[in-house]
């Protein structure tokens, strides 16, 4: 299958490309940056997806049967409230229109758990209300509504994958897991929140595998949680990370205030995705242990 991937050099995209290539697909990877080297089965298309003309040109060159749209504004610390969310909502609409114009048949788009009403804690597709608390969530949900109606009206199979809490090498250093591992690796006192929040952690390679599966390995359509379905307290994640070090790291819980909109529990039901034949492969303990090794390797190469 010929598959176009936006956000191909982003956090999840870098895990996704090797999976698609290993499955034998022809991949057109879309990136704003130049200088990527092609390889068998993989071509790179340079395009700014905020430019309608460049979107159309990229889809014309891709000639893709399937689209996996991962690109969005996700700058750590800014994306929740950034005005760029509006532009990416519009860009998603323009991308789908161009994909349709050049013969696209199946669109798989990245959504977010931020679309749900966080007062419910445990989120189930089609049951938990979509009442976003943030601008990011509102714009993602608006893009989802457009995608659903546009694809149905134009005979395109559509899938919307709501990502919960991905982690793994390559994520922004300021996020929870890398900040915990880095502080412990330096021997610093780890200052964090109370740690009682429950989250749904899924390794980035499993997130990427879920998108590859939804794109090419199942005819299922609609909204799917990209989640483990397993609640993990942040304090327990800290404890697992601490167990990876010989010396017991110092941790100061409650030193960092919790954001006003931060829910105590945010976990996704993964039953619908599992029913299509997908399953996570990396346990949280194995994923964190590998993550620590990768961080050490990066330090050794500096």
């Amino acid at each position: 299958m010929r598959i176009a991937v936006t956000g191909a050099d982003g956090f999840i995209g870098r895990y996704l490309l090797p999976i698609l290539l290993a499955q034998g697909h022809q991949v057109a990877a879309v990136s704003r940056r130049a200088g990527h080297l092609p390889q068998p089965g993989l071509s790179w298309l340079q395009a700014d997806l905020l430019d309608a003309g460049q979107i159309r040109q990229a889809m014309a060159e891709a000639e893709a049967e399937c689209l996996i749209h991962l690109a969005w504004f996700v700058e750590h610390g800014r994306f929740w409230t950034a005005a760029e969310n509006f532009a990416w909502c519009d860009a998603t609409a323009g991308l789908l229109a161009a994909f349709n114009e050049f013969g696209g048949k199946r669109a798989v788009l990245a959504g977010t758990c931020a679309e749900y009403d966080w007062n419910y804690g445990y989120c189930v597709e089609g049951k938990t209300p979509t009442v976003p608390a943030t601008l990011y969530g509102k714009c993602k949900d608006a893009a989802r509504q457009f995608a659903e109606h546009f694809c149905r009206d134009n005979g395109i199979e559509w899938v919307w994958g709501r990502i919960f809490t991905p982690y793994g090498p390559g994520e922004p250093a300021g996020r929870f897991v890398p900040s915990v591992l880095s502080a412990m690796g330096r021997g610093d006192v780890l200052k964090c929140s109370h740690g009682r929040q429950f989250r749904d952690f899924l390794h980035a390679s499993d997130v990427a595998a879920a998108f590859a599966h939804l794109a090419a390995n199942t005819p299922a359509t609609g909204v799917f949680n990209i989640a483990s379905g397993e609640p993990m307290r942040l304090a327990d994640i800290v404890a697992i990370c601490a167990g990876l070090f010989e010396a017991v790291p110092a941790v100061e819980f409650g030193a960092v205030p919790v954001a006003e909109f931060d829910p105590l529990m945010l976990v996704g039901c993964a039953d619908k995705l599992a029913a299509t034949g997908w399953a996570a492969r990396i346990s949280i303990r194995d994923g964190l242990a590998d993550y620590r090794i990768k961080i050490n390797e990066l330090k050794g190469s500096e």
Side-chain angles (χ1 to χ4, degrees), residues 18-211:
I19 295 173
L20 295 176
L21 293 174
Q23 293 177 353
H25 301 294
Q26 296 292 310
V27 180
V30 182
S31 171
R32 181 180 296 182
R33 296 186 298 165
H36 295 285
L37 297 177
Q39 62 188 79
L42 173 64
S43 60
W44 286 91
L45 303 176
Q46 185 182 4
D48 180 353
L49 296 182
L50 300 182
D51 182 303
Q54 292 187 44
I55 288 176
R56 189 174 182 278
Q57 181 63 32
M59 290 299 97
E61 292 182 26
E63 297 181 322
E65 177 183 353
C66 178
L67 168 69
I68 302 178
H69 177 39
L70 302 176
W72 197 274
F73 179 80
V74 289
E75 183 179 329
H76 182 68
R78 286 196 58 214
F79 71 92
W80 292 113
T81 58
E84 285 89 341
N85 285 296
F86 293 110
W88 278 99
C89 189
D90 290 342
T92 298
L95 178 66
L96 283 172
F99 177 62
N100 177 61
E101 180 182 354
F102 294 103
K105 301 299 182 185
R106 185 174 178 86
V108 180
L109 304 97
T112 170
C113 59
E115 297 166 53
Y116 285 117
D117 184 339
W118 286 347
N119 291 313
Y120 284 74
Y122 186 67
C123 304
V124 183
E125 307 96 321
K127 294 183 179 180
T128 305
T130 50
V131 185
T134 64
L135 180 60
Y136 169 66
K138 291 178 187 296
C139 286
K140 277 285 192 178
D141 190 51
R144 189 268 309 165
Q145 292 180 58
F146 172 84
E148 178 177 357
H149 290 285
F150 180 86
C151 289
R152 285 179 174 170
D153 289 348
N154 288 279
I156 299 173
E157 297 174 350
W158 74 283
V159 177
W160 188 262
R162 289 190 177 130
I163 303 172
F164 275 70
T165 311
Y167 74 99
E171 67 181 305
R175 292 183 61 178
F176 180 70
V177 172
S179 63
V180 169
L181 288 172
S182 294
M184 290 181 174
R186 294 190 304 268
D188 295 344
V189 175
L190 174 64
K191 296 180 180 291
C192 55
S193 69
H194 52 65
R196 297 190 298 272
Q197 308 97 314
F198 286 90
R199 293 293 181 268
D200 189 318
F201 288 87
L202 188 63
H203 196 277
S205 62
D206 280 329
V207 175
F211 276 98

Side-chain angles (χ1 to χ4, degrees), residues 200-278:
D200 189 318
F201 288 87
L202 188 63
H203 196 277
S205 62
D206 280 329
V207 175
F211 276 98
H213 173 77
L214 290 167
N217 300 333
T218 174
T221 59
V223 177
F224 291 85
N225 289 337
I226 310 297
S228 70
E230 299 179 5
M232 289 291 299
R233 280 197 322 160
L234 297 189
D236 293 333
I237 297 293
V238 171
I240 293 171
C241 291
L244 301 173
F245 295 85
E246 292 183 6
V248 178
V251 181
E252 189 176 333
F253 286 107
V256 176
V258 176
E260 186 176 340
F261 60 82
D262 194 45
L264 188 61
M265 181 173 178
L266 185 56
V267 177
C269 176
D271 292 350
K272 185 178 178 183
L273 181 57
T276 69
W278 174 89

